[in-house]
Short mmCIF file of all heavy atoms in Angstrom, two decimals:
data_model
loop_
_atom_site.label_atom_id
_atom_site.label_comp_id
_atom_site.label_asym_id
_atom_site.label_seq_id
_atom_site.Cartn_x
_atom_site.Cartn_y
_atom_site.Cartn_z
N GLY W 1 90.63 108.15 106.68
CA GLY W 1 91.75 107.32 106.05
C GLY W 1 91.21 105.92 106.04
O GLY W 1 90.55 105.48 106.86
N VAL W 2 91.66 105.07 104.98
CA VAL W 2 91.21 103.79 104.84
C VAL W 2 92.46 102.89 104.48
O VAL W 2 93.19 103.32 103.56
CB VAL W 2 90.12 103.64 103.74
CG1 VAL W 2 89.58 102.29 103.63
CG2 VAL W 2 89.04 104.64 104.05
N TYR W 3 92.46 101.76 105.11
CA TYR W 3 93.50 100.69 104.72
C TYR W 3 92.87 99.75 103.73
O TYR W 3 91.83 99.21 103.97
CB TYR W 3 94.04 99.95 105.88
CG TYR W 3 95.03 100.69 106.72
CD1 TYR W 3 94.58 101.42 107.82
CD2 TYR W 3 96.34 100.66 106.48
CE1 TYR W 3 95.53 102.15 108.62
CE2 TYR W 3 97.32 101.35 107.27
CZ TYR W 3 96.87 102.10 108.35
OH TYR W 3 97.84 102.81 109.11
N VAL W 4 93.43 99.59 102.61
CA VAL W 4 92.97 98.71 101.56
C VAL W 4 93.95 97.63 101.21
O VAL W 4 95.15 97.96 100.77
CB VAL W 4 92.59 99.45 100.21
CG1 VAL W 4 91.93 98.59 99.21
CG2 VAL W 4 91.53 100.57 100.54
N LYS W 5 93.69 96.41 101.44
CA LYS W 5 94.49 95.29 101.14
C LYS W 5 94.21 94.67 99.76
O LYS W 5 93.02 94.25 99.60
CB LYS W 5 94.57 94.24 102.24
CG LYS W 5 95.42 93.16 102.07
CD LYS W 5 95.41 92.09 103.26
CE LYS W 5 95.96 92.72 104.51
NZ LYS W 5 96.03 91.61 105.57
N VAL W 6 95.14 94.62 98.92
CA VAL W 6 95.02 94.07 97.57
C VAL W 6 95.88 92.83 97.48
O VAL W 6 97.04 92.86 97.99
CB VAL W 6 95.32 95.17 96.46
CG1 VAL W 6 95.12 94.69 95.15
CG2 VAL W 6 94.36 96.36 96.73
N GLY W 7 95.34 91.82 96.77
CA GLY W 7 96.24 90.56 96.65
C GLY W 7 96.31 90.24 95.17
O GLY W 7 95.56 90.57 94.39
N SER W 8 97.34 89.44 94.89
CA SER W 8 97.63 89.04 93.55
C SER W 8 98.48 87.67 93.71
O SER W 8 99.08 87.41 94.71
CB SER W 8 98.40 90.06 92.78
OG SER W 8 98.84 89.43 91.51
N HIS W 9 98.35 86.84 92.64
CA HIS W 9 99.17 85.59 92.56
C HIS W 9 100.67 85.88 91.95
O HIS W 9 101.39 84.94 91.73
CB HIS W 9 98.44 84.60 91.73
CG HIS W 9 97.21 84.04 92.53
ND1 HIS W 9 97.28 83.04 93.33
CD2 HIS W 9 95.91 84.43 92.44
CE1 HIS W 9 96.18 82.74 93.89
NE2 HIS W 9 95.34 83.61 93.33
N GLY W 10 100.81 87.09 91.53
CA GLY W 10 102.05 87.45 90.96
C GLY W 10 102.91 88.28 91.95
O GLY W 10 102.43 88.97 92.79
N THR W 11 104.29 88.23 91.76
CA THR W 11 105.17 88.89 92.66
C THR W 11 104.94 90.45 92.60
O THR W 11 104.38 91.03 91.60
CB THR W 11 106.60 88.55 92.35
OG1 THR W 11 107.52 89.20 93.30
CG2 THR W 11 106.94 89.00 90.91
N PHE W 12 105.57 91.08 93.54
CA PHE W 12 105.52 92.52 93.53
C PHE W 12 106.34 93.17 92.48
O PHE W 12 107.48 92.68 92.08
CB PHE W 12 105.99 93.08 95.01
CG PHE W 12 105.25 92.59 96.06
CD1 PHE W 12 105.83 91.66 96.93
CD2 PHE W 12 103.92 92.92 96.19
CE1 PHE W 12 105.06 91.16 98.02
CE2 PHE W 12 103.17 92.29 97.39
CZ PHE W 12 103.70 91.45 98.16
N SER W 13 105.86 94.35 92.00
CA SER W 13 106.72 95.11 90.96
C SER W 13 107.89 95.78 91.63
O SER W 13 107.99 96.02 92.85
CB SER W 13 105.87 96.12 90.34
OG SER W 13 105.38 97.10 91.17
N PRO W 14 108.95 96.17 90.80
CA PRO W 14 110.09 96.85 91.36
C PRO W 14 109.61 98.13 92.02
O PRO W 14 110.30 98.57 93.00
CB PRO W 14 110.96 96.99 90.10
CG PRO W 14 110.62 95.98 89.22
CD PRO W 14 109.12 95.73 89.36
N CYS W 15 108.61 98.78 91.56
CA CYS W 15 108.18 100.00 92.16
C CYS W 15 107.64 99.82 93.49
O CYS W 15 108.09 100.55 94.43
CB CYS W 15 106.99 100.60 91.30
SG CYS W 15 106.21 102.08 91.91
N LEU W 16 106.88 98.81 93.81
CA LEU W 16 106.34 98.56 95.11
C LEU W 16 107.55 98.02 96.02
O LEU W 16 107.56 98.42 97.24
CB LEU W 16 105.28 97.51 95.12
CG LEU W 16 103.97 97.98 94.42
CD1 LEU W 16 103.00 96.80 94.42
CD2 LEU W 16 103.38 99.21 95.15
N ALA W 17 108.35 97.25 95.49
CA ALA W 17 109.54 96.77 96.28
C ALA W 17 110.40 97.98 96.72
O ALA W 17 110.89 97.96 97.89
CB ALA W 17 110.28 95.80 95.48
N SER W 18 110.68 98.90 95.83
CA SER W 18 111.48 100.03 96.30
C SER W 18 110.75 100.87 97.33
O SER W 18 111.40 101.43 98.09
CB SER W 18 111.84 100.86 94.97
OG SER W 18 110.78 101.33 94.43
N ALA W 19 109.42 101.06 97.16
CA ALA W 19 108.71 101.90 98.09
C ALA W 19 108.63 101.24 99.61
O ALA W 19 108.50 102.05 100.39
CB ALA W 19 107.28 102.05 97.57
N ALA W 20 108.70 99.95 99.58
CA ALA W 20 108.73 99.31 100.89
C ALA W 20 110.10 98.83 101.33
O ALA W 20 110.30 98.09 102.26
CB ALA W 20 107.82 98.12 100.83
N SER W 21 111.16 99.33 100.68
CA SER W 21 112.54 98.86 101.00
C SER W 21 113.03 99.56 102.26
O SER W 21 112.44 100.57 102.69
CB SER W 21 113.45 99.31 99.91
OG SER W 21 113.47 100.70 99.63
N PRO W 22 114.07 99.05 102.88
CA PRO W 22 114.66 99.72 104.18
C PRO W 22 115.16 101.16 103.91
O PRO W 22 114.96 101.99 104.74
CB PRO W 22 115.79 98.82 104.46
CG PRO W 22 115.45 97.44 103.90
CD PRO W 22 114.78 97.75 102.61
N GLN W 23 115.54 101.40 102.60
CA GLN W 23 115.96 102.76 102.33
C GLN W 23 114.80 103.72 102.36
O GLN W 23 114.82 104.85 102.86
CB GLN W 23 116.67 102.83 100.96
CG GLN W 23 118.04 102.12 100.89
CD GLN W 23 117.82 100.69 100.67
OE1 GLN W 23 116.72 100.14 100.53
NE2 GLN W 23 118.91 99.91 100.74
N SER W 24 113.62 103.27 101.91
CA SER W 24 112.52 104.03 101.93
C SER W 24 111.96 104.27 103.31
O SER W 24 111.52 105.35 103.78
CB SER W 24 111.41 103.53 101.05
OG SER W 24 111.65 103.54 99.63
N ARG W 25 111.96 103.25 104.18
CA ARG W 25 111.62 103.34 105.57
C ARG W 25 112.52 104.35 106.18
O ARG W 25 112.09 105.09 107.18
CB ARG W 25 111.73 101.97 106.21
CG ARG W 25 110.94 100.91 105.64
CD ARG W 25 109.43 101.30 105.70
NE ARG W 25 108.64 100.18 105.15
CZ ARG W 25 107.35 100.23 104.97
NH1 ARG W 25 106.65 101.40 105.12
NH2 ARG W 25 106.63 99.25 104.43
N PHE W 26 113.84 104.34 105.99
CA PHE W 26 114.69 105.33 106.55
C PHE W 26 114.34 106.71 106.17
O PHE W 26 114.42 107.66 107.07
CB PHE W 26 116.13 105.03 106.21
CG PHE W 26 117.22 105.93 106.76
CD1 PHE W 26 117.50 105.97 108.12
CD2 PHE W 26 117.83 106.87 105.96
CE1 PHE W 26 118.40 106.76 108.73
CE2 PHE W 26 118.71 107.70 106.42
CZ PHE W 26 119.08 107.73 107.83
N ARG W 27 114.10 106.94 104.87
CA ARG W 27 113.62 108.26 104.44
C ARG W 27 112.37 108.74 105.10
O ARG W 27 112.18 109.97 105.48
CB ARG W 27 113.51 108.30 102.88
CG ARG W 27 114.91 108.08 102.17
CD ARG W 27 114.66 108.01 100.66
NE ARG W 27 113.92 109.14 100.14
CZ ARG W 27 114.48 110.21 99.62
NH1 ARG W 27 115.79 110.25 99.53
NH2 ARG W 27 113.79 111.16 99.07
#
């Protein structure tokens, strides 16, 4: 397994925001 950190000057997409939301953490 590998942790890959990616950076951008633009905000996160709704897809990434939903994947890291508290609801996703609960699931």
Side-chain angles (χ1 to χ4, degrees):
V2 185
Y3 284 94
V4 183
K5 182 180 290 187
V6 180
S8 173
H9 289 275
T11 183
F12 303 112
S13 64
C15 176
L16 294 179
S18 62
S21 62
Q23 294 80 5
S24 294
R25 301 298 184 190
F26 178 72
R27 291 173 60 91

